[in-house]
Amino acid sequence: MAATLGSASQGQPRGVGPQHCVTRVELSVVAANLLDRDVASKSDPFCVLFHEVDGNWVELGRTETAVNNLNPVFGVKFQVDYHFEEIQKLRFALFDEDKCATQLYEHDFLGEFICTLGVIVSNKKLDRALILANGKPAGKGSITITAQELSDNRVITLTFSGRKLDKKDFFGKSDPYLEFHKQGEDGKWMLVHRTEVIKNTLDPSWKPFSVPLVSLCNGDIDRSIKVLCYDYDNDGGHDFIGEFQTSVARMSEAHNSLEVEYDCVNPKKQKKKKNYKNSGLIVVRSCKITRNYTFLDYILGGCQLMFTVGIDFTASNGNPREPSSLHYINPLGSNEYLSAIWAVGQIIQDYDTDKMFPALGFGAQLPPDWKVSHEFAINFDPTNPFCSGVEGIAQAYSACLPHIRFYGPTNFAPIINHVARFAAQALQQEKAAQYFTLLIITDGVISDMDETRDATVQASKLPMSIIIIGVGNADFAAMEFLDGDACALRASTGEEAVRDIVQFVPFRDFRNAPKETLAKSVLAELPQQVTQYFKQRNLPPINPAPE
């Protein structure tokens, strides 16, 4: 059994908006040498998991109570969504259960441990002392937290129908539905899925449904699954029609128009009637198992995120020697362009093994002939525009400022098409090997809006995403338009983008916030865009995790 957070049942995200989740992690908790708070017997501990939301602790779930036990091994696991772009603070608190207490604070406190999910995941197994509210050790009490990635990403899709089911309703036929239960480690049956109700029929055909294989049978295709058929009643007293047991291995025999039939048996009727055969038939019409790869599956499987930076050097940024300029060469530190490069680059560089990134500029006049360029290498080496890591990009940026003249206009299309040419070459890949991310940092209004729209719509067909960070205080309405969250972006021809690949963020919203907040907002949609592209193309990871 698991206490779950972050997603509703069957792995569907709660609410709307992008799922920023990278992977689901299961946390197991074992405690030792707990304080003894009971007079006549030992403590009856249970563990509560909280996470921090806006400075407050919010409960995520709790384990069962281990009766009379100072060294509990809890059976209930916590399932947590792990977000690659943010810090997740967790608090494990142990209490001695008092049967009369209704509020958590009324139970005796046995100690707690606070850390981030990142620390647990990077350690896989974490052993720590428990602390009391006053900061002192909780006796010799300790907690061990073990993290396991729920990496079985297989999904089973099933289609069921019924034939000649028992008539249960006095005035009409039955209103049948199915329930699927799996057997837990303790032998008890646990509900996994319930179909919709089909009204007034003895020969129902239910809609196909999909559930994670882990949910249906813990990933074990030979594990018993009990299927129960009921007749739905509005008053909640649903009539039992019959049941049968099966396994995923057995149901998998249903494919290519081959069906698997089961007698739907009511054991009470079977006992009473000698010649009873069944209460109808339940038929598996199709059974298909697929892999639902996550962002982390692709990354761990060897996919490289190819990161390119595009920097706006148009005249509207102001003279870099003046403190009012967005490109001000600040002897004491940073400017908004550098801050944006660092915030995004520091996270994304971990996903590229060679950490060599092309850094391009646009909207400036270049020596020696002072022609305007809308895609030039900021290290002035067109044959090798690569910089080593984010540090290399920052150095090349600072070094090029004194040697160029800010000009205009603000054209995005050349730099988008530049990266798209490389992304187009990756179209030949048969597996998920490369994905391109273009970070454009700009101070203003786009001059070539039609061309940029056209370039973006074409790029939406490629393994490519565009992140735009707006610096300064300009009107960024056009950027919001490119970021197709409100409605799908269309090219000047009317062609619609096949997916939303642009994420726009105004830097001014984050000026006084920690730098992690900018990175979180900027990179929020990237994992989803990567997985969406590879799924649309049906591309598996280069080295998928073994079954």
Side-chain angles (χ1 to χ4, degrees):
M1 191 182 163
T4 308
L5 78 122
S7 312
S9 59
Q10 277 86 61
Q12 293 303 312
R14 285 197 188 121
V16 293
Q19 241 192 318
H20 307 159
C21 174
V22 172
T23 186
R24 285 174 76 69
V25 174
E26 186 174 78
L27 304 176
S28 306
V29 176
V30 175
N33 304 313
L34 294 178
L35 292 170
D36 198 350
R37 299 289 198 194
D38 288 356
V39 180
S41 64
K42 296 191 173 90
S43 292
D44 305 321
F46 64 96
C47 181
V48 185
L49 176 61
F50 302 86
H51 71 149
E52 193 178 54
V53 180
D54 300 328
N56 298 311
W57 290 112
V58 178
E59 183 179 327
L60 295 174
R62 52 181 80 180
T63 65
E64 79 281 17
T65 298
V67 178
N68 205 16
N69 191 341
L70 300 182
N71 301 289
V73 176
F74 295 110
V76 171
K77 319 286 187 198
F78 298 112
Q79 285 183 16
V80 189
D81 286 348
Y82 171 56
H83 302 259
F84 98 112
E85 79 292 3
E86 64 183 79
I87 293 164
Q88 293 170 273
K89 215 165 174 190
L90 300 179
R91 174 181 165 218
F92 297 82
L94 285 118
F95 296 88
D96 172 23
E97 186 177 88
D98 177 349
K99 290 281 186 285
C100 308
T102 52
Q103 299 290 330
L104 198 52
Y105 66 83
E106 294 179 73
H107 299 285
D108 285 327
F109 181 58
L110 299 174
E112 67 183 14
F113 170 63
I114 297 170
C115 67
T116 65
L117 183 56
V119 168
I120 299 170
V121 171
S122 59
N123 280 275
K124 287 212 167 82
K125 187 171 186 177
L126 201 60
D127 226 331
R128 292 290 186 271
L130 289 169
I131 304 295
L132 293 172
N134 58 11
K136 290 185 175 161
K140 291 183 177 172
S142 68
I143 186 168
T144 303
I145 305 152
T146 309
Q148 183 189 0
E149 187 193 338
L150 295 175
S151 55
D152 188 339
N153 46 29
R154 290 173 294 171
V155 174
I156 185 166
T157 303
L158 291 158
T159 312
F160 276 82
S161 62
R163 282 210 283 275
K164 297 182 179 162
L165 297 177
D166 280 3
K167 179 175 176 295
K168 290 286 184 183
D169 292 351
F170 193 69
F171 293 111
K173 296 173 179 169
S174 295
D175 304 323
Y177 68 91
L178 299 178
E179 279 189 0
F180 294 78
H181 295 249
K182 73 173 171 189
Q183 202 161 17
E185 305 302 334
D186 56 1
K188 289 179 182 164
W189 293 98
M190 190 168 99
L191 178 66
V192 173
H193 181 78
R194 188 181 281 122
T195 66
E196 79 279 19
V197 176
I198 308 286
K199 291 282 191 185
N200 201 26
T201 178
L202 303 180
D203 301 294
S205 284
W206 289 281
K207 284 181 198 154
F209 66 91
S210 298
V211 289
L213 206 59
V214 170
S215 296
L216 187 64
C217 61
N218 290 10
D220 175 3
I221 62 169
D222 297 313
R223 181 180 283 250
S224 276
I225 296 161
K226 193 185 329 192
V227 184
L228 301 116
C229 184
Y230 289 95
D231 166 39
Y232 179 84
D233 278 335
N234 286 331
D235 64 4
H238 312 306
D239 294 317
F240 177 65
I241 294 175
E243 64 180 41
F244 64 91
Q245 285 194 29
T246 182
S247 66
V248 169
R250 175 82 179 91
M251 291 190 291
S252 295
E253 293 168 22
H255 56 85
N256 300 339
S257 74
L258 198 68
E259 296 181 339
V260 177
E261 288 184 0
Y262 295 93
D263 287 326
C264 188
V265 173
N266 183 330
K268 283 184 183 170
K269 279 192 172 183
Q270 198 174 32
K271 274 183 188 163
K272 280 183 191 168
K273 294 184 184 173
K274 280 255 165 57
N275 59 351
Y276 173 83
K277 190 169 179 235
N278 59 41
S279 294
L281 293 172
I282 301 292
V283 182
V284 186
R285 291 170 55 190
S286 73
C287 172
K288 189 179 172 202
I289 295 173
T290 52
R291 297 286 293 267
N292 186 20
Y293 294 115
T294 64
F295 174 67
L296 204 61
D297 283 319
Y298 288 116
I299 297 302
L300 292 175
C303 179
Q304 296 286 303
L305 295 188
M306 317 301 281
F307 179 47
T308 302
V309 180
I311 300 171
D312 177 346
F313 291 112
T314 53
S316 52
N317 283 281
N319 182 339
R321 287 172 188 79
E322 305 283 332
S324 58
S325 168
L326 292 164
H327 282 295
Y328 177 51
I329 306 166
N330 185 347
L332 298 172
S334 196
N335 60 35
E336 290 195 359
Y337 277 89
L338 273 173
S339 297
I341 291 167
W342 276 109
V344 178
Q346 277 182 306
I347 288 178
I348 219 164
Q349 70 176 350
D350 290 344
Y351 298 91
D352 185 326
T353 45
D354 69 5
K355 296 186 179 19
M356 296 300 291
F357 306 116
L360 308 172
F362 59 94
Q365 294 175 318
L366 303 186
D369 53 7
W370 304 108
K371 280 191 175 151
V372 176
S373 173
H374 295 293
E375 47 164 321
F376 63 91
I378 64 171
N379 65 2
F380 300 119
D381 185 349
T383 58
N384 183 15
F386 294 90
C387 302
S388 176
V390 186
E391 212 162 283
I393 299 172
Q395 284 167 358
Y397 162 78
S398 300
C400 88
L401 281 173
H403 303 289
I404 59 175
R405 289 182 194 155
F406 290 13
Y407 206 70
T410 307
N411 291 352
F412 276 19
I415 221 156
I416 293 171
N417 289 329
H418 175 100
V419 175
R421 284 195 292 276
F422 292 96
Q425 291 168 7
L427 278 179
Q428 320 310 319
Q429 61 195 17
E430 289 173 18
K431 291 188 173 178
Q434 289 180 321
Y435 192 92
F436 292 77
T437 305
L438 169 61
L439 169 64
I440 299 176
I441 311 171
T442 180
D443 82 316
V445 181
I446 304 173
S447 311
D448 63 341
M449 192 60 187
D450 283 353
E451 291 83 351
T452 294
R453 276 166 51 201
D454 296 352
T456 304
V457 167
Q458 293 312 309
S460 72
K461 302 169 190 172
L462 304 173
M464 177 171 168
S465 288
I466 302 166
I467 295 166
I468 304 171
I469 298 183
V471 294
N473 296 312
D475 175 6
F476 291 124
M479 311 291 182
E480 302 282 6
F481 171 72
L482 280 176
D483 184 345
D485 284 348
C487 59
L489 180 69
R490 289 180 184 277
S492 53
T493 58
E495 184 185 356
E496 199 174 291
V498 292
R499 53 198 189 93
D500 171 18
I501 64 165
V502 179
Q503 172 77 340
F504 169 71
V505 173
F507 189 89
R508 58 178 172 239
D509 291 359
F510 299 91
R511 268 183 203 141
N512 303 315
K515 61 179 187 306
E516 304 83 63
T517 323
L518 174 67
K520 183 176 163 182
S521 182
V522 166
L523 296 170
E525 293 180 14
L526 191 62
Q528 188 196 28
Q529 289 171 358
V530 171
T531 49
Q532 184 190 27
Y533 173 80
F534 290 130
K535 278 177 189 172
Q536 278 178 359
R537 293 264 164 180
N538 223 359
L539 295 176
I542 304 169
N543 301 305
E547 292 287 354

